[in-house]
């Protein structure tokens, strides 16, 4: 696993998912987006834990314990964050309801609050990290001329999940009084992050087809005569 997967791919992935989680909370995204963001970060932490476990198992290092401690701390923080956010301001629904009644006369643009602007920026950073995270893995596959050690189901399910994720946001009706353009603008970073990586995941899928019959040099070494 530590040879097949690029560490920068995993770090870019968890960075994008972390920004996605924070941005979803701040920008008041759909509940489905927030719940899936929490799951994504937990899954990324599990993958990173496995990566360092196998890496340090072959090459023991004094950094293994601190890294595992940091990963466990981040995992605990991610689990506690939704619980803390649930005890947030109670008066928010009144303001939202009041805003909708005022805008219900005619369609218009929903203004960004200061908190939503911060969430929008963090969400934009998340989409950039998503796009950049695929490049190291594409490069690793190209240099190895192999996709051995990588499960294609991972990328296939990610592609399917991102497609359905993007469609679920696109097919939802805007709030009362909000135009479709304003709705898309508020969700733009998350749409770019989910639908934009489909092209790069398609390139990785092509690599699986091109390198499906290849064998890495490390796999041939035990077969070579001593």
């Amino acid at each position: 696993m530590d040879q097949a997967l690029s560490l920068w791919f995993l770090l870019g992935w968890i960075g994008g998912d972390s920004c996605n989680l924070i941005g979803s909370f701040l920008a008041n995204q759909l509940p489905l987006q927030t719940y899936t963001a929490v799951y994504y970060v937990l899954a990324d932490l599990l993958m990173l834990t496995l990566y360092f476990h196998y890496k340090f198992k072959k090459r023991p290092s004094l950094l293994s314990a601190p890294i595992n401690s940091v990963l466990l701390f981040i995992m605990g923080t991610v689990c506690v964050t939704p619980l803390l956010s649930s005890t947030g301001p109670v008066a928010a629904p009144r303001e939202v309801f009041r805003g909708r009644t005022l805008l219900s006369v005619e369609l218009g643009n929903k203004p960004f609050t200061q908190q939503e602007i911060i969430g929008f920026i963090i969400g934009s950073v998340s989409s950039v990290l998503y796009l950049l995270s695929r490049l190291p893995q594409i490069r690793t596959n190209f240099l190895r001329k192999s996709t051995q050690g990588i499960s294609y189901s991972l990328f296939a399910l990610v592609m399917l999940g991102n497609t359905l994720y993007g469609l679920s946001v696109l097919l939802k009706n805007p709030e009362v009084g909000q135009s479709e353009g304003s709705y898309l603008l508020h969700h733009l970073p998350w749409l770019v992050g989910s639908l934009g990586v489909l092209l790069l995941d398609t390139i990785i899928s092509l690599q699986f087809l091109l390198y499906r019959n290849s064998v890495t040099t490390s796999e041939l070494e035990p077969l070579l005569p001593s």
Side-chain angles (χ1 to χ4, degrees):
M1 178 183 180
D2 60 310
Q3 296 179 4
L5 284 177
S6 170
L7 176 60
W8 292 108
F9 166 64
L10 295 177
L11 293 177
W13 209 350
I14 192 174
D17 286 336
S18 300
C19 292
N20 178 33
L21 174 61
I22 298 173
S24 296
F25 278 123
L26 295 178
N28 297 322
Q29 295 299 296
L30 304 177
L32 176 64
Q33 295 176 261
T34 303
Y35 298 148
T36 53
V38 173
Y39 169 76
Y40 288 158
V41 174
L42 294 177
D44 294 341
L45 289 172
L46 179 60
M47 292 183 63
L48 271 176
T49 302
L50 291 174
Y51 178 90
F52 286 114
H53 169 73
Y54 290 117
K55 191 174 186 65
F56 292 133
K57 186 177 180 180
K58 295 179 180 179
R59 295 177 291 276
S61 172
L62 296 176
L63 295 176
S64 58
I67 289 177
N68 289 332
S69 300
V70 171
L71 292 176
L72 288 175
F73 174 77
I74 297 176
M75 185 177 297
T77 303
V78 172
C79 294
V80 173
T81 300
L83 299 178
L84 295 178
S85 64
S86 61
T87 60
V90 182
R94 294 184 178 180
E95 296 179 0
V96 174
F97 179 77
R98 187 179 304 170
R100 290 184 183 181
T101 55
L102 291 176
L103 292 173
S104 60
V105 179
E106 58 178 317
L107 295 178
N109 295 326
K110 178 184 176 182
F112 282 93
T113 64
Q114 184 176 2
Q115 176 177 314
E116 288 176 338
I117 292 176
I118 298 175
F120 187 92
I121 295 174
I122 296 177
S124 300
V125 173
S126 171
S127 64
V128 172
L129 290 175
Y130 280 144
L131 295 174
L132 294 179
S133 67
R134 298 311 196 265
L135 300 181
Q137 188 59 50
I138 293 174
R139 180 178 180 272
T140 299
N141 295 340
F142 176 77
L143 294 177
R144 295 174 67 237
K145 295 292 188 276
S146 173
T147 54
Q148 294 292 329
I150 306 175
S151 173
Y152 179 67
S153 300
L154 168 66
F155 292 94
L157 290 175
V158 167
M159 292 176 66
L160 178 61
N162 282 330
T163 301
L164 296 178
Y165 180 92
L167 289 177
S168 67
V169 176
L170 289 174
L171 296 178
K172 183 181 180 299
N173 292 326
E175 296 181 1
V176 178
Q178 183 183 17
S179 64
E180 293 185 0
S182 175
Y183 173 80
L184 291 177
L185 179 61
H186 279 72
H187 295 277
L188 183 60
W190 290 267
L191 291 173
V192 172
S194 61
L195 300 179
V197 297
L198 287 178
L199 175 60
L200 297 176
D201 285 337
T202 301
I203 295 177
I204 296 179
S205 298
L206 294 176
Q207 288 182 326
F208 272 93
L209 293 175
L210 293 174
Y211 304 141
R212 63 182 182 276
N213 295 324
S214 63
V215 181
T216 60
T217 305
S218 60
E219 291 172 333
L220 289 174
E221 287 178 355
L223 301 178
L224 296 177
S226 57

